[in-house]
Amino acid sequence: GDPKVPVLYKVERTHTGKSFSVRSVEAIQHGKPIFTCQASFQLSQGSPVQHQFTMPAVPLPEELLTQEELIQKFLQNPNLAERYRKHLNKIEAKDVPIDIKPVNPPDIFRSEPQEPKQLFWVRARGYIGETDMKVHCCVAAYISDYAFLGTALLPHQQYRVKFMVSLDHTMWFHAPFRADHWMLYECESPWAGGCRGLVQGRLWRRDGVLAVTCAQEGVIRVEQTPNQSKL
């Protein structure tokens, strides 16, 4: 999309029921759709059928360094290769409105395969407050896309990425939360292949309640290095 051009939103009432409703939204610029969304809504209902996974046991956010502090720690290393220094400076230059504290920061200096899992403490920067829950859901949608698809690259760091973009992004909201409070973002990639990668994520409130579940599929194209014979 073009941020300088107004967006026309076309909303279709796909289904309206007593408990559930569905709306289909199409965002249009220059007469062409640039984004499609299907949103489902439910009236709040109680049920004895309840369960959830258990939140991973991890250090609290107060015990961890922010992403900016980790980058500065790496940059202070006089033996840091110039290409890594440029890469870290590029990350640092991005103005991301999210506070991030990696629990298990990937080793960007290794090309060996790493497990396709990541854990972050995340929250929106600034104060949002006790406002409409839909505002917090919108902010969480933005947060959930950060570094999400990159989880699928952790076992394949020997390749240089040429092109990577999301194909679709799905979210399920389970419980109320504050996007400006620390939440644990648990990301994992169960599969990649055919120039595509699949990632799944869970946003946990720090009291252990599963607030949001996410899933995303994206295109991943890399520069394939030729296999060299060891004979």
Side-chain angles (χ1 to χ4, degrees):
D2 186 346
K4 298 179 182 178
V5 177
V7 180
L8 174 65
Y9 292 97
K10 180 182 177 182
V11 181
E12 179 182 345
R13 295 174 180 266
T14 308
H15 170 74
T16 302
K18 293 181 180 180
S19 301
F20 293 87
S21 295
V22 180
R23 299 291 182 265
S24 298
V25 183
E26 194 174 65
I28 302 170
Q29 275 187 338
H30 303 295
K32 296 181 179 180
I34 60 169
F35 173 81
T36 57
C37 169
Q38 183 165 293
S40 299
F41 303 90
Q42 179 194 9
L43 290 175
S44 179
Q45 296 174 296
S47 171
V49 181
Q50 297 184 52
H51 74 268
Q52 65 167 47
F53 283 173
T54 301
M55 178 179 171
V58 299
L60 296 175
E62 292 78 14
E63 302 171 15
L64 298 169
L65 297 176
T66 65
Q67 180 168 276
E68 290 84 355
E69 290 169 337
L70 284 169
I71 289 174
Q72 283 301 317
K73 186 177 179 181
F74 283 128
L75 290 174
Q76 289 171 8
N77 182 353
N79 299 319
L80 182 64
E82 187 60 29
R83 61 191 178 108
Y84 292 131
R85 192 174 299 277
K86 288 181 179 179
H87 176 66
L88 290 172
N89 283 325
K90 185 177 180 181
I91 295 175
E92 191 177 34
K94 292 181 179 178
D95 186 17
V96 180
I98 311 169
D99 286 326
I100 304 161
K101 291 192 173 185
V103 175
N104 56 339
D107 191 343
I108 63 172
F109 308 116
R110 289 171 50 201
S111 59
E112 291 83 3
Q114 299 180 51
E115 189 178 17
K117 292 185 178 182
Q118 297 192 86
L119 289 162
F120 307 92
W121 283 103
V122 293
R123 68 179 179 186
R125 285 182 176 167
Y127 177 79
I128 299 176
E130 298 286 350
T131 183
D132 193 323
M133 188 61 207
K134 291 190 287 291
V135 175
H136 289 283
C137 289
C138 289
V139 175
Y142 180 91
I143 290 174
S144 70
D145 194 44
Y146 181 82
F148 198 19
L149 191 55
T151 309
L153 285 170
L154 293 177
H156 314 285
Q157 294 193 91
Q158 69 270 35
Y159 299 112
R160 181 179 177 184
V161 178
K162 292 195 301 182
F163 181 76
M164 185 169 68
V165 67
S166 169
L167 289 170
D168 52 58
H169 191 96
T170 305
M171 300 184 73
W172 296 267
F173 298 95
H174 310 307
F177 61 91
R178 287 272 300 268
D180 54 349
H181 287 179
W182 285 116
M183 291 190 292
L184 181 67
Y185 194 18
E186 180 185 10
C187 306
E188 57 187 0
S189 174
W191 175 88
C195 294
R196 290 178 293 129
L198 177 66
V199 287
Q200 298 169 341
R202 288 178 283 274
L203 276 167
W204 299 88
R205 293 188 338 207
R206 65 184 297 166
D207 62 358
V209 172
L210 179 58
V212 185
T213 298
C214 317
Q216 184 180 97
E217 187 181 41
V219 176
I220 301 175
R221 301 190 189 280
V222 299
E223 292 181 358
Q224 297 190 26
T225 55
N227 292 325
Q228 294 182 355
S229 174
K230 295 183 179 180
L231 296 177

